[in-house]
Amino acid sequence: MTQSGTRLTIGQMDRPRIILAEPFDEPAVEKLRALGDVIQLAACTETALRSAVVDCDALLVRTRGVVTRAVLEAAPNLRVIGRGGVGLENIDLPAAAERGVVVVYTPGAATDAVADLTVGLMIALVRDIRRCDAAVRLGRFAEAREQACAVDLRDQVLGVIGMGRIGRAVARRCRNALGMTVIYNDIVQPGWLDFVAEPVTKEEVYACAKVVSLHVPLDDTTRNLIDARALSQFRPDAFLINTSRGAVVDNVALAQALERGTLCGAALDVFDPEPLPADHPLLRAPNTLFTPHIGARTVEGLRRMNAVVDDVIAVLQGKTPQYPA
Ligand code: NAD
């Protein structure tokens, strides 16, 4: 800011202060260093963020840094928040808009990575690969082989909730590569799809799908979407896959449905909270398969998420960003 309070763009002002609340890769950090003073935080708690942002121009977060209204109020010079990733639930968007802070992110960065993981989890869950692997290692080869009796995925019904970028990528793989029948629910018409899929209600997804796969953002309409009531409508031989956000599923209700056998199995990449406490019932529930929120973590996915720095730099230079939230 000048003494008169006018905001200046790069070239007219001192080097901007850029706060990294979480790690970004070295090439991305180098680009930022060419423009401003980069400060890497060791922790991204709200307290750490509030004290770090006091005189910063740009703040970059990934999944763990939560940019609350209080953080924004502590940052009078903040001009841009870069979110390396897809979900925006960790940023108070209305508070940012009120203060004229531009939020940029990387939609699409992880689409293929998450879709690949989702299909991998689905096949591993349906074929019980985790238990088979353990049995082979324990010398129970014949016993495990004798017990194994899964179903072909061809002609099974996949129910996608949230037919956005990732939902479509999952559905396309399942329809075109695996021969599944795809039904889906979304709150908006997804437009033309390059594969066969039928729009239905959520209740029809629950009642008809052999595999239900969740691909919605976390917001007020989707928090606890899959609660005890929704789970009671699932087929008892159904599998649930969640690679969206942990809080879309009531994790305790899910554990109960698995224990009671009213749901056949579940594979989760995301949890509520992350990580689950060691005594959480879900960790003891049968027929589960877990990964530690690795959906986006491929070489290509991570590279695309780091590209958020390009939009941060664009905003600092007074240019139009490619991916504003
Ligand atoms: P997207 O915005 O392209 O698609 C989300 C879709 O959900 C949209 O079509 C939207 O209309 C629909 N939707 C919203 N609310 C709904 C509701 N109540 N009922 C039905 N449909 C609803 O987003 P995307 O790129 O496909 O990503 C989806 C989510 O995946 C992200 O928001 C993020 O939470 C999650 N994600 C997870 C990982 C991971 O590492 N596991 C990585 C990237 C993204």
Side-chain angles (χ1 to χ4, degrees):
M1 303 277 268
T2 63
Q3 280 180 339
S4 62
T6 315
R7 277 208 166 142
L8 297 176
T9 54
I10 302 304
Q12 296 172 284
M13 62 183 268
D14 294 337
R15 286 166 67 75
R17 279 172 67 81
I18 303 167
I19 305 285
L20 305 183
E22 294 174 69
F24 285 80
D25 71 14
E26 200 44 38
V29 177
E30 270 311 308
K31 282 188 190 175
L32 295 170
R33 279 202 197 106
L35 186 84
D37 296 330
V38 177
I39 298 115
Q40 174 75 62
L41 300 188
C44 59
T45 59
E46 186 178 59
T47 313
L49 285 183
R50 281 176 68 177
S51 62
V53 296
V54 170
D55 55 358
C56 85
D57 301 276
L59 171 64
L60 282 88
V61 297
R62 288 177 59 168
T63 313
R64 287 178 298 116
V66 181
V67 188
T68 59
R69 181 174 287 274
V71 170
L72 285 155
E73 281 168 359
N77 298 340
L78 187 63
R79 303 176 56 202
V80 55
I81 299 167
R83 154 73 167 116
V86 181
L88 288 164
E89 72 279 357
N90 55 333
I91 297 169
D92 188 331
L93 294 176
E98 280 167 31
R99 306 182 70 81
V101 176
V102 179
V103 179
V104 294
Y105 72 135
T106 56
T111 301
D112 286 326
V114 180
D116 290 351
L117 179 72
T118 304
V119 175
L121 288 173
M122 180 172 71
I123 295 174
L125 186 64
V126 171
R127 299 304 298 261
D128 208 3
I129 288 176
R130 189 173 65 95
R131 195 185 57 81
C132 288
D133 176 88
V136 170
R137 292 170 199 280
L138 290 169
R140 297 187 187 143
F141 189 105
E143 183 190 328
R145 182 165 189 268
E146 217 33 57
Q147 285 171 0
C149 186
V151 291
D152 285 359
L153 285 172
R154 176 169 296 281
D155 297 330
Q156 296 289 345
V157 177
L158 169 73
V160 171
I161 311 244
M163 196 60 123
R165 288 174 295 258
I166 297 173
R168 276 197 294 263
V170 168
R172 185 181 299 109
R173 284 159 170 75
C174 290
R175 173 67 206 162
N176 293 349
L178 302 179
M180 298 180 77
T181 299
V182 177
I183 59 176
Y184 69 93
N185 173 265
D186 202 304
I187 50 170
V188 298
Q189 227 312 318
W192 184 77
L193 298 171
D194 58 354
F195 52 87
V196 179
E198 186 191 348
V200 296
T201 63
K202 287 190 175 63
E203 288 68 29
E204 286 171 305
V205 170
Y206 304 155
C208 300
K210 172 76 174 173
V211 180
V212 175
S213 196
L214 307 176
H215 302 290
V216 287
L218 178 61
D219 61 23
D220 291 344
T221 72
T222 61
R223 187 174 296 278
N224 276 337
L225 178 70
I226 305 300
D227 58 6
R229 190 165 171 275
L231 286 164
S232 71
Q233 299 170 60
F234 278 48
R235 288 167 48 169
D237 65 341
F239 295 94
L240 174 69
I241 318 280
N242 187 14
T243 57
S244 63
R245 285 290 179 265
V248 173
V249 177
D250 178 336
N251 285 198
V252 174
L254 175 61
Q256 286 168 351
L258 291 163
E259 287 290 353
R260 289 183 193 135
T262 56
L263 182 73
C264 196
L268 310 177
D269 183 46
V270 287
F271 303 86
D272 181 32
E274 285 182 7
L276 288 178
D279 61 350
H280 196 286
L282 195 51
L283 296 176
R284 296 188 309 275
N287 302 328
T288 51
L289 183 60
F290 301 139
T291 48
H293 200 150
I294 58 163
R297 297 192 68 87
T298 61
V299 172
E300 295 80 2
L302 291 172
R303 191 176 59 228
R304 289 190 210 107
M305 286 195 296
N306 278 281
V308 75
V309 301
D310 295 335
D311 263 355
V312 169
I313 290 169
V315 176
L316 289 173
Q317 291 177 328
K319 298 178 189 159
T320 306
Q322 204 177 353
Y323 299 113

